Amino acid sequence: MPLFGSDSKTKSSLDGLWLKCNNCGEIVYKKEVDKNLKVCPKCNYHFRMSAKEWIDILIDQNTFHELWDNIESIDPLDFKDRSRYRDKLKEAQKQAGVNDAVVTGYGTLNDMFINIGIFDFNFMGGSMGSVVGEKITRLIEKAAQEESNLLIVTSSGGARMQEGIFSLVQMAKTNAALSRLKKNKTLYLALLTDPTTGGVAASFASVADIIIAEPKALIGFAGPRVISDTIGQKLPEGFQRAEFLLEHGMIDMVIERKVIKKTITQIIRLLGNTEKKLTAS
Amino acid sequence: MIHQPLDFEKPIYELEKKIEEFRQLSASEGIDLSDEIARLEKKVKKLREETFSNLSAWKIVQLSRHPERPYTYDYIYLISNEFVEIHGDRRFKDDTAIVSGIGLLNDQRVVFIGEQKGRGSKDRVLRNFGMPHPEGYRKAMRAMDIAQKFGIPIVTFIDTPGAYPGIGAEERGQAEAISESILKLAGITVPTIGCIIGEGSSGGALAIGLVDKMFILEYAVYSVISPEGCAAILWKDQSKAPQAADALKMTADDLKRMGIADEILKEPAGGAHNDPKSMAQTIKEALISALAELKSIPADELVKNRYSRYRSMGQFREIGK
């Protein structure tokens, strides 16, 4: 499974008072970026956000209930490359502040009930192993059973290699759950953020009822480095970016962060379940 | 006998070559070399047994990619009485890295779908080394629709280094095509059987690999990534591929143990390429018995069982439970 390579703009130093934009290189005041939903005020570059930051933006205050945060990887292959997978897991948990690469739960979005799963790229590149697959599957099953709204915010390099074949079959597991969801009126929205590639792109991310992407987000099956190595050519400007996918008919819209909540609200009002109340869950 | 031996097959190959020479010599010169030939045959048999008794994961990976290994077409023609191939995705083109069509297995109709590698340099390029583009998976989905419409079971042969990573493939939605194919197999109401015959690599393999029953040949592999790819990313050194092959647990034995494959089909001595006909016969028998088993299950139960099968795949712990 092609994993997102290290050539990406993975980390920006968001610790100090000032930070350098990954895109335009301008030094910008951190507080200003935060206030601007982590979008560069100079060039409109959308910085990556943690799961928690997404919840703050999308979910109404104090309505988010997290589910299944007690599910953890058990390192099924006892995998060791230059270091042990279980050590990497611990380190990632400490550094990202989440148990694995996806946070799942429910809450309200402009007073409408929503089941939501958000990938956290800080946790091992948002890679999908058994834990991510299980949590996403449970979320899909819950939404299907309630016929309530489902939103998955992706940011993932693909499958988690350290779990070998177990990570690959999570694509089958999540899509099997989605095949059930097709039989009723559950609205499934996918919001693809930078980057969405590999096993996540080739499963639930690309088959939602409506697919929204963030500006310039890298979206594709194979990582750009794998492709340029295979074909021995430099890739064209803008290749595999959200706008490229829109042009090729693979996604429905590219939406800026500042209007994302409004857009999702509009779609749920038109297609989704507006009856279900938070207390009923 | 084999013609393009792998490194570890070379001693066997040399002996076989010698036997062949002796045979020709005795035929052309009328010399009786039968004792010598019998001695060498015994020796080659023993050597083969020794070589194959304790293969490393890396050697198995090489066997799974053996240039003489039978491919999808070989098996389809060896096991089916009739075969009508379908072509094209009706949208863009006919992808020759995927073969699909309707065949007869004894007297039963079967829809075959499989990844197809080429033999010889020209054919290899033509088949894109068994790496499908989105249109290949869309053709596969057409075959699935035919199976669904006419109530015909599906048999997939998995043998690919992966879905093709290229510009056109991305432009035309490789990720979407794979995902839709998996989705379709999840909901289909006819029996589905998979057989990993060589290299089962990544999403390109899984695209036709969500099935009711999964067979794997003894020297076939199934993995989330190639050992070379894994070594390059995690070890930052492609030469560590043998270690990665071990770590990924990708052999038939591993997959059976982990519940991903249901049954291992034993290969002829020295691997499937030493005797494609006998390998095909083994596959045919396995398919016929699996079909009988699956056909007896009502459609709704079949889909439900398939769901449970994949629902339970994955290993994790729930703290406090």
Side-chain angles (χ1 to χ4, degrees), chain A residues 1 70-72 77 81-82 130 134 138 141 167 170 173 175-176 202-203 207 220-222 240 244 250, chain B residues 165 170-172 175 179 183 202-203 206 224-225 235-236 249 307 310-311 313-319:
Chain A
M1 184 64 41
N70 60 334
I71 302 181
E72 278 190 6
L77 304 189
D81 45 80
R82 293 186 303 181
S130 298
E134 177 69 20
R138 286 188 190 189
E141 285 176 335
S167 66
Q170 300 312 307
K173 179 166 160 171
N175 270 28
S203 58
V207 292
F221 173 64
Q240 290 186 311
F244 171 94
M250 292 302 147
Chain B
E170 294 291 327
E171 283 174 338
R172 299 191 293 280
S179 184
L183 208 52
S202 165
L206 182 71
V224 65
I225 188 170
W235 276 264
K236 317 261 181 245
K249 306 225 172 25
Y307 188 79
Y310 284 91
R311 183 67 189 83
M313 284 183 189
Q315 293 194 0
F316 53 85
R317 67 167 162 245
E318 274 185 277
I319 300 157

Side-chain angles (χ1 to χ4, degrees), chain A residues 155-209:
Chain A
S155 179
S156 172
R160 190 167 306 160
M161 276 178 289
Q162 293 91 340
E163 292 191 20
I165 196 72
F166 286 119
S167 66
L168 185 72
V169 292
Q170 300 312 307
M171 294 165 66
K173 179 166 160 171
T174 52
N175 270 28
L178 283 178
S179 77
R180 288 192 156 184
L181 192 143
K182 271 194 163 179
K183 290 182 195 135
N184 64 29
K185 290 196 172 67
T186 306
L187 170 66
Y188 168 33
L189 298 176
L191 169 56
L192 315 188
T193 79
D194 185 61
T196 297
T197 61
V200 167
S203 58
F204 51 87
S206 51
V207 292
D209 294 315

Side-chain angles (χ1 to χ4, degrees), chain A residues 262-280:
Chain A
K262 196 177 139 200
T263 306
I264 293 172
T265 305
Q266 197 182 12
I267 298 169
I268 298 177
R269 286 216 176 104
L270 290 169
L271 291 176
N273 179 342
T274 53
E275 305 292 312
K276 187 170 166 58
K277 297 282 173 269
L278 187 61
T279 47

Side-chain angles (χ1 to χ4, degrees), chain B residues 97-144:
Chain B
I98 283 202
V99 163
S100 56
I102 306 99
L104 271 185
L105 197 59
N106 287 351
D107 53 351
Q108 299 181 72
R109 292 183 301 173
V110 168
V111 164
F112 289 108
I113 301 170
E115 281 127 349
Q116 177 66 35
K117 292 181 176 177
R119 208 174 297 287
S121 47
K122 215 172 128 190
D123 193 33
R124 254 185 234 140
V125 172
L126 178 77
R127 300 282 171 191
N128 199 32
F129 307 90
M131 293 186 281
H133 280 73
E135 40 278 14
Y137 296 111
R138 292 182 183 129
K139 174 168 69 177
M141 285 188 263
R142 280 192 55 228
M144 292 171 203

Side-chain angles (χ1 to χ4, degrees), chain B residues 2 4-6 9 62-69 71 273:
Chain B
I2 48 178
Q4 296 162 268
L6 302 169
E9 285 181 313
Q62 289 168 280
L63 277 173
S64 76
R65 302 170 178 167
H66 200 294
E68 290 175 76
R69 204 169 164 82
Y71 299 142
H273 54 293

